[in-house]
Amino acid sequence: MKDRITKRSVDALEKGEFISDTEIKGFIARRLPSGKVTFGFQYSKGGRRPWLALGLHGSVTVEEARKEAKKYAGLVAQDRDPAAEQQVEAARSTNTVDHVLDQWLEKYARDPDHGNLRSADEIESMFDRYVRPKIGSVVIYDLTLTQVVGMLDAVKDSVKEQTKGKKTGGTMANRVRSHFKTALEWWRDGDEKFVTNPIPSKRRGAKEKKRERVLDVEEFRDFWRATFKLEGVQGYFWRTLFLSACRRSEVSDMHLSEFDRGQENWTIPAARYKIKLDHVIPLTPALKPHLPARGNRGDYLFSTTGGEVPLSGFSKFKPRLIKKINELRKSEGRGPIANFTPHDLRRTANTFMIPAGVSAEVADRLLGHVQPGMRGVYNKWAYRDEKADAIEKLAAYVEQLVQPTPPNVVQFPGSGQAQPGAESARQCQPLKCARSLRPKHQERRVGSEPTGLS
């Protein structure tokens, strides 16, 4: 019925009845089946009849509801669409930086059909540490260049503080900028309302230099010797990392389900390999003895929890390796080793393959590099045997470095024994047993410490 909406008329309503106000067109009071009275404003727009809720009687008074209805009636008189505007505002409040980052991580970074980034966890950690605390609550449409620049400068300040000035934080700021830019560009492709570009055109940190660090022979000997002095699976990890020429997480997350039935090949699945293709590492006689024993609670080989979860905490156990190396060097009157990263070992392995007699093409295949041009399109050979030979040759070269032939003796290929009369040896026999890579006093008895393949 039509009447002026007042407290008396509202109180007189029966369940299911409503009143259309005679003063403000579209202002309605309705008693619900529950007995409560709700106020609303309804209008016509483009063939639609939007309803705007004004609240329940008791939560708002009749006069408060009337005042709100009058405001909406004025907007409609101006040919505006208050319901649509409310939806836009709701979207604005939902589409914060936090929301955009959550959506990008879920629907791109971790989506197997899209980005499926191996580094998704690392990127999320960057966002959690540096982006969200500073600008996470900002509505994406209101995000400004000044806010982003301030966030990136705060990254540098944070890294400086954490490292007590040893690092400038420029590299981390550049990485945060790059990943944040990717997330915003992904969001812009699906949101026509987001048209701004709040990312600085130049990186906020110093220009990054490509790493070229390769361990020299003396450093490598120290590294190899030190791995046998580490506890648990750590030494096995470092040696496998080098001989397989893999990346850190590829080795640390090694799982028995990735081995074939004959345990002759380890296939790193595409989901956790950088180039998004399965990558096969032959488990050669030289590599197998450097795999740890299988745990009693799970199938992750490199684990401190009996195989339940893969190895982690690299920021803690890499310093243990460096400590062991420097103890060796100090005992021999030498200074500390220069810093190196796990990836520098991969570069060192690649470098050592050349004097070990491995072709550059096969070395690239073992390292899993994308093949350029037509070679990558048409050459589909698996290179399994060639990669196995490369690992054996690399292991033999390591043996030569760790236990060098005397300067007046040369090892002739296929001879099976040392021959006198040469200054140095460029080649040596592939290892019959990788235990010869272990310092003599640290050889383990067969069967006393089974590998993960037993």
Side-chain angles (χ1 to χ4, degrees):
M1 64 177 178
K2 290 188 175 183
D3 195 0
R4 188 175 189 279
I5 296 177
T6 64
K7 185 177 183 308
R8 178 178 294 180
S9 62
V10 166
D11 290 341
L13 282 173
E14 298 291 336
K15 291 181 180 179
E17 292 184 342
F18 69 92
I19 305 172
S20 294
D21 192 71
T22 54
E23 293 184 3
I24 301 175
K25 184 179 179 181
F27 179 32
I28 298 171
R30 176 182 298 150
R31 187 172 293 277
L32 303 173
S34 64
K36 295 182 178 180
V37 174
T38 180
F39 298 111
F41 178 78
Q42 193 169 38
Y43 63 101
S44 298
K45 187 70 175 180
R48 299 178 295 114
R49 292 279 291 166
W51 169 272
L52 294 172
L54 304 178
L56 292 174
H57 186 37
S59 298
V60 295
T61 66
V62 171
E63 290 306 313
E64 288 172 338
R66 178 178 293 278
K67 183 177 180 180
E68 194 71 7
K70 187 175 182 179
K71 180 184 75 174
Y72 288 135
L75 295 176
V76 172
Q78 298 171 24
D79 199 29
R80 291 172 58 179
D81 190 347
E85 291 175 10
Q86 277 191 359
Q87 291 177 350
V88 170
E89 190 58 33
R92 281 179 53 82
S93 62
T94 299
N95 295 338
T96 62
V97 170
D98 277 340
H99 178 71
V100 170
L101 298 182
D102 289 340
Q103 292 294 298
W104 180 80
L105 288 166
E106 176 187 350
K107 297 181 179 179
Y108 180 81
R110 291 195 173 97
D111 188 336
D113 297 327
H114 293 88
N116 194 25
L117 304 180
R118 291 186 315 117
S119 55
D121 290 345
E122 180 182 351
I123 296 172
E124 182 176 28
S125 178
M126 288 184 192
F127 289 160
D128 290 346
R129 282 180 289 161
Y130 302 119
V131 181
R132 296 183 192 271
K134 293 293 182 181
I135 57 176
S137 61
V138 177
V139 174
I140 196 70
Y141 313 108
D142 299 335
L143 186 62
T144 66
L145 176 65
T146 301
Q147 289 172 314
V148 176
V149 169
M151 179 270 292
L152 294 175
D153 287 345
V155 172
K156 294 191 290 184
D157 293 340
S158 177
V159 173
K160 284 181 184 178
E161 182 179 351
Q162 292 171 6
T163 61
K164 298 181 179 179
K166 293 181 180 179
K167 295 182 179 180
T168 64
T171 298
M172 181 58 72
N174 289 341
R175 290 177 182 172
V176 171
R177 171 190 174 275
S178 177
H179 294 310
F180 188 48
K181 178 182 178 183
T182 300
L184 293 189
E185 289 176 345
W186 173 83
W187 182 265
R188 183 181 292 111
D189 287 343
D191 186 352
E192 62 184 9
K193 298 182 181 65
F194 182 47
V195 295
T196 60
N197 180 22
I199 302 295
S201 58
K202 295 183 179 179
R203 296 186 174 189
R204 300 298 293 173
K207 185 178 180 180
E208 296 183 40
K209 297 179 180 179
K210 288 187 177 181
R211 288 193 64 85
E212 298 181 350
R213 175 86 163 95
V214 173
L215 274 64
D216 61 31
V217 171
E218 180 184 281
E219 291 175 325
F220 179 79
R221 286 177 183 149
D222 296 335
F223 156 76
W224 193 262
R225 291 162 59 198
T227 63
F228 290 96
K229 296 181 178 294
L230 294 169
E231 297 179 354
V233 300
Q234 296 179 35
Y236 295 101
F237 168 79
W238 290 112
R239 294 192 296 277
T240 301
L241 184 72
F242 179 82
L243 290 176
S244 67
C246 286
R247 300 172 183 86
R248 187 185 72 180
S249 63
E250 293 161 5
V251 174
S252 66
D253 291 359
M254 181 188 289
H255 195 274
L256 280 178
S257 64
E258 297 171 351
F259 294 173
D260 63 8
R261 182 171 296 181
Q263 297 184 332
E264 298 298 324
N265 299 290
W266 164 38
T267 301
I268 306 172
R272 67 182 196 87
Y273 201 70
K274 184 175 183 179
I275 62 173
K276 302 295 189 297
L277 296 173
D278 288 351
H279 184 64
V280 176
I281 297 291
L283 297 173
T284 71
L287 180 56
K288 284 182 179 180
H290 297 286
L291 298 177
R294 177 179 179 177
N296 58 5
R297 289 187 288 177
D299 289 337
Y300 285 106
L301 264 68
F302 294 99
S303 173
T304 58
T305 60
E308 284 186 309
V309 295
L311 193 64
S312 60
F314 298 99
S315 62
K316 294 181 180 178
F317 80 70
K318 185 202 165 188
R320 294 172 191 161
L321 171 66
I322 300 300
K323 181 180 179 181
K324 294 297 183 183
I325 292 174
N326 287 334
E327 286 175 354
L328 285 172
R329 294 171 70 93
K330 185 177 180 181
S331 69
E332 297 171 0
R334 293 178 289 139
I337 191 170
N339 182 51
F340 65 89
T341 68
H343 204 78
D344 293 336
L345 293 175
R346 178 174 156 90
R347 191 178 299 107
T348 302
N350 193 5
T351 302
F352 282 9
M353 286 182 205
I354 305 305
V358 180
S359 71
E361 180 181 359
V362 173
D364 271 352
R365 296 288 179 169
L366 181 59
L367 270 71
H369 289 159
V370 175
Q371 301 304 302
M374 290 297 99
R375 187 171 67 184
V377 174
Y378 288 101
N379 185 359
K380 300 303 180 183
W381 187 248
Y383 285 80
R384 192 274 172 197
D385 292 342
E386 292 83 355
K387 290 190 286 187
D389 182 61
I391 293 174
E392 292 293 308
K393 286 180 176 177
L394 178 61
Y397 186 71
V398 169
E399 179 186 28
Q400 185 183 18
L401 296 181
V402 176
Q403 299 173 6
T405 305
N408 65 337
V409 176
V410 64
Q411 187 91 2
F412 287 102
S415 68
Q417 60 181 349
Q419 300 291 333
E423 290 291 325
S424 61
R426 288 285 294 181
Q427 290 181 302
C428 61
Q429 289 280 8
L431 299 181
K432 294 182 179 179
C433 177
R435 286 199 303 275
S436 58
L437 289 177
R438 180 188 296 269
K440 294 294 185 183
H441 69 284
Q442 292 177 327
E443 288 190 7
R444 62 189 179 192
R445 290 174 295 147
V446 176
S448 64
E449 192 179 23
T451 71
L453 303 182
S454 46

